[in-house]
């Protein structure tokens, strides 16, 4: 195995942590140590503080200790209620992001900052939603489409429009289970209502409701987030980039873009290219402006502009510890409040931009979409002017980075697949070649690996071990979020990584000209994975749950991940969690999630903290599915 593929375990993190001690900087590890042993009640999900008669914590062991909260809620009810609220919060985060993006399309104009970049996608969505496109200005169409999307959040009647994109068999499952989400906000509000003190007191009902709410994320908020970002900023195509802290450049103004919504980061990318900004950078003695991304913002700008990836969730503190970052610009989600104090140890400016995520101690420069370019320039200017405050003796940039190819939207994957289509025999522009190789067994299956980092697991270790094992066994991997950035840093997003693939997958990669692990974008872009799985199922005339596919969140930590895992299950795709969710205080809830839910949705949860055992279970399950399908 070449060094490139093991570099992930020598990424300079240890040196940076030593540097932190020397610089008197506090990191997550100090705070983790201060937490001592985590609360066993919280860990098992049996702590309730939903009303002021409590907090109540009940025993996770039947027949021993307090078995009920003051209101009589059992461990089953408390665990299920807490789970449902995680799903609600995750769904709210993805969907509120999507709402902002839909608003941006609604304000897009020919001479404004935000334009329509993918007209084809807009027109096809307009057609899908029955919007008249004849003899109309493209922006008029865009505004109507945006308004329909905005109504998906609060419409009083009907169910979500994007559900109709799923295979018919899947829609029937949802229909029979009565879990087709209605308006997005409504599902979130309903579940908050139902989990209020004195409402739902039945675990199965709470899981059932959680499924409906989560589908409002996957086939609602997240899908709107993806589709509308593509329309406004362009549908990603494969492009090359680099990943890891080594992309920071001592000679340039380093700006980290961290957070989620492309509306801000796209403008920062544009602003940094502005000759006026470039000139300013030279004036302060820098060679230029170096943007580097983190978390989903990192994914959004890398797949549309090739902006380099500084790292994933766990590395946000590391980036500041390099002492080489002039500014870390954030909007919403996955941002450590600790960055404010940490930035104070260096010259780094920690700039918050969203009224939804202000942080004490940060410099708040509010980003206004209606004045986007000017706001972005002001933010970039702050960073440039801060270059002169950098203390060279405090700079240490680990010299580690890997090449990566990013940006495999569904459209881009299909375009690659066209390379093996004989147009005299088969149609172009479909997933047929993918379905064919899965059917033939050249690929045993396809797996989505997604999600965060979590200090409960060695940084990126589970992501990478699982990916390597799956591709070695001819399972193609698609990836998003921080998992995708782990793959990028490990060199798995290169065509070279074919060497690590089994013979079948290596051959497919060769013919179709792709890496064995495909970067599909940010966390909301898991909707791209739902789309491609659905397309393959439709092509074969079967349901998602029949396919040899699975979802894995090896190092997840956020409520968004719980919402995602739940909509993936509800979409008929098995989901493997590498971190145990706080549900083990209820045998009933564990039984529903890891067993009974399969009778409802055709898929279930697997919880396995050992990455190698997890990969084996995935492979076993894939073979089971193949056998059932008779392929
Ligand atoms: Fe206790 Fe019930 Fe109130 Fe929860 S809702 S804090 S279990 S009394
Ligand atoms: Ni999505 Fe997890 Fe990263 Fe945040 S950016 S840390 S939810 S995977
Ligand atoms: Fe994310």
């Amino acid at each position: 195995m070449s060094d490139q593929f093991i570099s992930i375990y020598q990424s300079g993190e240890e040196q940076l942590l030593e540097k932190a001690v020397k610089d008197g900087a506090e990191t997550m590890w100090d705070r983790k140590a201060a937490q001592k042993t985590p609360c066993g009640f919280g860990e098992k999900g049996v702590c309730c503080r939903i009303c002021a008669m409590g907090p109540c914590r009940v025993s996770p062991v039947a027949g021993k200790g307090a078995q009920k909260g003051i209101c009589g809620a059992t461990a089953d009810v408390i665990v299920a209620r807490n789970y449902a609220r995680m799903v609600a919060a995750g769904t709210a985060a993805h969907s509120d992001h999507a709402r902002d993006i839909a608003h941006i399309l609604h304000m897009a104009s020919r001479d404004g900052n935000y334009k329509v970049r993918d007209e084809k996608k807009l027109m096809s969505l307009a057609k899908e939603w029955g919007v008249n496109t004849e003899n109309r200005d493209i922006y008029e169409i865009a505004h109507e489409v945006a308004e329909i999307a905005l109504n998906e959040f609060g419409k009083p009647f009907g169910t979500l429009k994007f559900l109709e994109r799923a295979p018919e068999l899947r829609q029937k499952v949802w229909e029979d289970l009565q879990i087709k989400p209605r308006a997005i906000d409504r599902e979130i509000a309903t579940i908050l209502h139902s989990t209020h003190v004195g409402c739902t007191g039945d675990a199965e009902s709470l899981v059932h409701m959680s499924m409906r709410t989560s589908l409002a994320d996957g086939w609602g908020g997240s899908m709107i987030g993806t589709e509308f970002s593509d329309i406004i900023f362009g549908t990603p195509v494969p492009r090359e980039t680099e990943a890891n802290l080594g992309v920071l450049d001592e000679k340039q103004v380093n700006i980290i873009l961290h957070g989620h919504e492309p509306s801000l980061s796209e403008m920062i990318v544009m602003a940094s290219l502005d000759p006026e900004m470039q000139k300013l950078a030279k004036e302060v003695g820098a060679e230029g402006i170096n943007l580097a991304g983190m978390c989903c913002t990192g994914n959004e700008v890398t797949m549309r502009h090739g902006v380099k990836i500084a790292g994933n969730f766990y590395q946000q503190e590391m980036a500041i510890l390099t002492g080489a970052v002039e500014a870390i610009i954030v909007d919403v989600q996955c941002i450590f409040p600790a960055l404010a104090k940490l930035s104070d140890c260096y010259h780094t400016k920690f700039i918050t931009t969203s009224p939804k995520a202000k942080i004490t101690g940060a410099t708040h420069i509010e980003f206004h979409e209606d004045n986007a370019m000017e706001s972005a320039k002001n933010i970039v200017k702050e960073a440039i002017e801060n270059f002169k405050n950098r203390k060279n003796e405090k700079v240490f940039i680990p010299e580690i980075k890997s090449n990566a190819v990013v940006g495999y939207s569904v459209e881009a994957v299909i375009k690659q697949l066209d390379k093996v289509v004989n147009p005299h025999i088969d149609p172009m522009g479909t997933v047929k070649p993918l379905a064919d190789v899965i059917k033939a067994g050249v690929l045993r299956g396809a797996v989505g690996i997604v999600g965060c980092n979590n200090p409960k697991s060695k940084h990126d270790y589970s992501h990478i071990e699982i990916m390597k094992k799956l591709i070695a066994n001819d399972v193609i991997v698609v990836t998003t979020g921080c998992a995708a950035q782990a793959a990028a840093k490990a060199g798995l997003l290169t065509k070279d990584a074919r060497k690590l693939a089994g013979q079948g997958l290596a051959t497919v990669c060769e013919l179709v000209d792709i890496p064995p692990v495909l970067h599909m974008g940010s966390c909301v872009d898991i909707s791209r994975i739902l789309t491609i799985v659905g397309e393959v199922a439709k092509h074969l005339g079967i349901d998602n749950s029949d396919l040899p596919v699975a979802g894995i969140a090896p190092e997840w930590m956020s409520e968004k991940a719980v919402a995602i895992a739940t909509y993936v299950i509800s979409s008929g795709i098995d989901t493997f969690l590498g971190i145990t969710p706080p549900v083990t205080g209820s045998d009933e809830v564990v039984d529903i999630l890891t067993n009974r839910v399969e009778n409802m949705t055709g898929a279930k949860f697997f919880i396995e903290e050992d990455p190698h055992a997890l990969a084996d279970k995935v492979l076993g399950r894939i073979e089971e599915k193949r056998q059932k399908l008779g392929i």
Side-chain angles (χ1 to χ4, degrees):
M1 198 182 297
S2 92
D3 285 339
Q4 188 189 171
F5 300 116
I6 51 171
S7 66
I8 188 71
Y9 306 128
Q10 309 152 356
S11 57
E13 282 165 11
E14 267 160 43
Q15 286 127 293
L16 281 170
L17 288 175
E18 279 166 24
K19 183 175 186 289
V21 176
K22 216 173 71 206
D23 295 348
E26 179 196 283
T27 67
M28 63 191 270
W29 296 106
D30 301 309
R31 295 185 298 273
K32 190 168 192 294
Q35 286 289 324
K36 304 216 168 70
T37 318
C39 167
F41 294 92
E43 198 172 45
K44 294 186 170 59
V46 288
C47 167
C48 180
R49 46 177 181 71
I50 276 174
C51 89
M53 294 194 284
C56 302
R57 34 186 228 184
V58 305
S59 168
V61 187
K64 235 179 117 190
Q67 295 290 299
K68 287 172 191 157
I70 295 169
C71 67
T74 58
D76 300 337
V77 170
I78 292 174
V79 167
R81 245 177 355 199
N82 288 339
Y83 173 82
R85 287 199 159 201
M86 286 196 281
V87 171
T91 302
H94 285 140
S95 304
D96 207 34
H97 160 162
R99 185 198 329 261
D100 276 357
I101 301 292
H103 271 294
I104 299 254
L105 185 64
H106 197 258
M107 71 191 280
S109 66
R110 199 160 268 115
D111 45 12
N113 291 141
Y114 297 105
K115 301 188 175 32
V116 171
R117 288 251 159 70
D118 190 338
E119 284 192 18
K120 200 171 146 213
K121 195 159 209 169
L122 172 64
M123 293 307 260
S124 102
L125 183 54
K127 218 170 116 203
E128 183 180 334
W129 284 356
V131 173
N132 176 23
T133 55
E134 254 165 67
N135 300 323
R136 285 181 87 190
D137 182 75
I138 187 87
Y139 282 90
E140 225 182 276
I141 298 167
H143 298 160
E144 189 175 334
V145 166
E147 198 172 324
I148 295 176
L150 288 165
N151 278 319
E152 290 294 274
F153 289 84
K155 63 184 182 187
F157 307 110
T159 54
L160 295 181
K161 291 184 169 298
F162 277 151
L163 299 173
E164 287 164 29
R165 289 184 169 189
E168 263 170 43
L169 288 166
R170 182 54 22 187
Q171 292 185 51
K172 171 112 190 356
V173 170
W174 293 335
E175 189 80 54
D176 293 348
L177 283 174
Q178 296 184 343
I179 56 169
K180 279 190 163 176
R182 301 148 305 170
I184 299 166
D185 291 349
R186 179 176 180 180
E187 297 308 347
I188 298 164
T190 296
I191 212 161
L192 288 176
H193 171 192
S194 292
T195 52
H196 186 276
V197 59
C199 221
T200 311
D202 177 68
E204 189 165 317
S205 173
L206 286 158
V207 173
H208 179 263
M209 245 184 286
S210 301
M211 293 198 285
R212 190 174 58 192
T213 302
S214 73
L215 287 170
D217 179 344
W219 297 84
S222 283
M223 207 167 272
I224 292 173
T226 298
E227 295 293 82
F228 281 63
S229 294
D230 284 357
I231 290 171
I232 305 163
F233 305 117
T235 301
V237 296
R239 59 180 91 234
E240 287 180 14
T241 190
E242 291 174 340
N244 218 336
L245 291 170
V247 305
L248 297 176
D249 183 348
E250 226 172 307
K251 299 199 179 77
Q252 300 197 60
V253 173
N254 290 308
I255 300 179
I256 300 268
L257 299 170
H258 174 25
H260 278 79
E261 296 179 6
S263 39
L264 165 73
S265 49
E266 281 281 329
M267 285 302 131
I268 301 275
V269 172
M270 298 308 151
S272 72
L273 296 172
D274 187 285
E276 187 199 337
M277 295 294 132
Q278 292 287 341
K279 192 168 153 252
L280 207 61
K282 297 260 157 59
E283 276 167 22
V284 298
E287 281 183 4
I289 303 167
N290 183 38
L291 298 182
M294 283 203 146
C295 281
C296 283
T297 284
N299 285 318
E300 299 277 359
V301 288
T302 197
M303 61 180 176
R304 295 203 179 86
H305 302 283
V307 168
K308 294 170 196 162
I309 299 164
N312 50 6
F313 180 66
Y314 169 100
Q315 282 165 299
Q316 53 189 297
E317 292 189 319
M318 300 275 171
I320 296 177
L321 288 171
T322 64
V325 172
E326 273 54 61
I328 177 158
I329 301 168
V330 303
D331 55 3
V332 291
Q333 302 170 22
C334 303
I335 303 147
F336 278 11
L339 299 189
K341 187 159 171 268
L342 183 60
S343 301
D344 285 345
C345 294
Y346 301 91
H347 75 302
T348 307
K349 279 225 155 119
F350 173 43
I351 303 175
T352 53
T353 59
S354 168
K356 292 180 200 169
K358 288 191 179 179
I359 294 173
T360 306
T363 307
H364 188 75
I365 308 180
E366 200 146 306
F367 177 70
H368 295 284
E369 282 89 352
D370 48 3
N371 193 11
M373 198 48 165
E374 219 181 298
S375 291
K377 277 192 194 167
N378 284 339
I379 296 168
V380 172
K381 231 185 253 169
E382 281 278 324
I384 297 173
E385 278 161 8
N386 197 23
F387 183 76
K388 54 182 185 294
N389 298 323
R390 193 194 285 180
K391 296 189 181 56
N392 288 331
E393 68 281 7
K394 273 196 158 179
V395 172
F396 166 70
I397 302 173
E399 275 175 43
I400 287 160
K401 58 182 181 184
S402 301
N403 294 327
V405 186
V406 297
Y408 288 96
S409 56
V410 175
E411 293 81 350
V413 171
I414 288 177
K415 198 159 165 230
Q416 293 303 124
L417 292 173
D418 275 347
K419 285 186 187 262
V420 291
V421 174
N422 177 345
H424 301 296
I425 304 171
D426 281 323
M428 306 281 282
T430 75
V431 294
K432 181 172 185 292
L434 178 59
D436 284 350
V437 284
I438 290 179
K439 225 165 104 181
V442 179
L443 294 188
R444 306 307 295 170
V447 163
I449 303 187
V450 305
C452 330
N453 295 132
N454 188 320
K456 288 179 180 162
S457 148
K458 185 173 161 171
H459 184 208
D460 291 341
Y461 180 78
S462 299
H463 287 306
I464 302 310
E465 291 301 303
I466 294 168
M467 285 180 194
K468 286 200 298 201
K469 185 146 195 178
L470 293 180
I471 61 174
N473 283 282
D474 292 323
V475 171
I476 191 165
V477 171
V478 295
T479 180
T480 63
C482 290
Q485 296 172 329
K489 290 182 287 167
L492 296 178
L493 303 184
T494 57
K495 291 176 189 164
D496 241 19
R498 254 175 237 163
K499 291 188 234 160
L500 304 180
Q503 209 192 340
L505 176 57
T507 310
V508 170
C509 291
E510 181 89 43
L511 293 173
V512 183
D513 191 26
I514 51 170
V517 180
L518 297 179
H519 178 284
M520 288 193 92
S522 63
C523 303
V524 292
D525 291 337
I526 294 171
S527 67
R528 299 190 201 273
I529 303 180
L530 291 179
T531 302
I532 199 159
V533 169
E535 287 309 306
V536 174
K538 278 188 217 166
H539 177 82
L540 295 172
I542 56 179
D543 180 33
N544 293 346
S545 63
D546 301 318
L547 283 171
V549 299
I552 313 177
E555 302 177 24
W556 74 274
M557 61 87 205
S558 71
E559 291 168 314
K560 290 180 287 176
V562 181
I564 293 167
T566 308
Y567 76 63
V568 172
I569 293 286
S570 310
S571 300
I573 303 165
D574 288 330
T575 297
F576 294 73
L577 302 176
I579 302 282
T580 305
V583 296
T584 54
S586 163
D587 291 343
E588 166 81 358
V589 173
V590 172
D591 186 51
I592 297 172
L593 295 177
T594 61
N595 176 26
R596 276 147 58 190
V597 78
E598 191 177 5
N599 292 331
M600 306 180 219
T601 71
K604 62 181 180 180
F605 279 103
F606 294 77
I607 301 170
E608 176 53 69
E609 294 194 347
D610 176 69
H612 302 106
L614 188 153
D616 284 335
K617 282 188 187 165
V618 173
L619 291 170
R621 192 70 174 165
I622 279 178
E623 291 307 322
E624 252 177 57
K625 296 253 172 177
R626 295 192 67 91
Q627 225 168 32
K628 257 198 224 147
L629 258 186
I631 57 173

